[in-house]
Amino acid sequence: MPAVILTDIRTARERIAGKVERTPTVLSHSLSEQFGVPVHLKLEHRQTTGSFKLRGASNAVASLNAEQKARGVVAASTGNHGRALAHAAKLEGMRAVICMSRLVPGNKLDEIRRLGAEVRIVGDSQDDAQQEVDRLVAQEGLVMLPPFDHPDIIAGQGTLGLEMIEQVPDAALVLVQLSGGGLASGVAAAIKGVRPRTKVIGVSMARGAAMKASLDAGQPVLVEELPTLADSLGGGIGLDNRLTFAMCRDLLDDVILLSEDEIAAGIRHAYAQEREIVEGAGAVGIAALLAGKVRADGPVVVLLSGRNIDMDAHRTIVCGEAPSLKERAA
């Protein structure tokens, strides 16, 4: 049995009601015509903080007791979890410290600071940032709310799966972003709990896909964190991963990896055809369809997970070029 089950996800939905948006799902006429089956887009990039991460962060913060809230929270993040946690903590009047690597884009840092959280930039990977988190927990007593490997985070993200299957009850296939696995495992647990025959496929980038490498190895492994258009999908899953590795292994039907050019094509399509601005991670489902890397014999639901892209980079991409790896590493 998964560590987080349908009952947990339904409880999370009640807990975060009124704190997050129930985002719409719309039919993509362009993708439906090209793919030969109805393709629906779950517009989660329209969530309050610009990504799905608000669901897990809100559920985790709401689950804390009064003593824990008084101590404050801390997390490592590639950007979107930090923004969501900063937002959820601000609503509760809590202290929040977000630790990030130098690879996190500046626009995400600025927004986290705007929300009142403290920002610590540490090292060149999420694993480096996690070391600062561990220090703050030990020395200052902050409560760690990690970006993915936590039952309340997973259950909160799983509320997306409930919405998807309610909005498209006959979905044959769901494409979901795969990084540390909090989103993918939560969504898969919800969808498989309601409609077990619906396929759920995780989608990630080829450059530094830690969960895919770990699934291939049969255990969590270290993977070098590399610059990528899908920066929100970067980072490791933790060698001591307790929950998401096993859930992704048991619940996902497949995992697809994409090149940088394929991700850029997804961003361009979202803008030109769907009139939506999404970040690289948010576009990977569309990219997987455009690249011909998935097949379905019935309706497809594609998650657009986030919109927090640097707009200078977005303008470069939609004009037909992906920013260079050097620019992304700057």
Side-chain angles (χ1 to χ4, degrees), residues 214-256:
S214 297
L215 293 172
D216 289 346
Q219 63 184 16
V221 297
L222 293 175
V223 173
E224 182 182 3
E225 191 170 341
L226 300 169
T228 171
L229 286 176
D231 55 88
S232 295
L233 302 184
I237 71 167
L239 294 180
D240 57 349
N241 187 287
R242 299 180 301 115
L243 304 174
T244 61
F245 171 77
M247 290 183 69
C248 288
R249 178 194 64 205
D250 296 343
L251 295 173
L252 292 180
D253 293 284
D254 199 2
V255 174
I256 293 169

Side-chain angles (χ1 to χ4, degrees), residues 20 31 41 58 77 80 83 87 109 116 127 134-135 167 172 175 213 216 248 252 271-272 278 316-317 330:
V20 305
L31 289 173
L41 305 178
S58 296
S77 174
N80 285 337
R83 183 173 179 174
H87 178 90
L109 304 179
D127 290 333
D134 295 340
R135 187 190 69 79
Q167 292 166 333
L175 298 178
D216 289 346
C248 288
L252 292 180
Y271 182 74
V278 294
T316 299
I317 294 164

Side-chain angles (χ1 to χ4, degrees), residues 86 90 94-96 110-118:
K90 183 177 182 179
M94 295 167 51
R95 180 190 181 195
D110 293 342
E111 184 61 22
I112 291 168
R113 291 190 178 103
R114 187 190 68 79
L115 288 167
E118 302 168 41

Side-chain angles (χ1 to χ4, degrees), residues 76-77 99-103 120-135 222 225 235-236:
S77 174
C99 302
M100 293 174 285
S101 82
R102 296 185 184 92
L103 293 181
R120 308 284 177 91
I121 306 300
V122 183
D124 297 314
S125 72
Q126 195 166 13
D127 290 333
D128 292 338
Q130 183 61 43
Q131 292 180 15
E132 178 67 5
V133 171
D134 295 340
R135 187 190 69 79
L222 293 175
E225 191 170 341

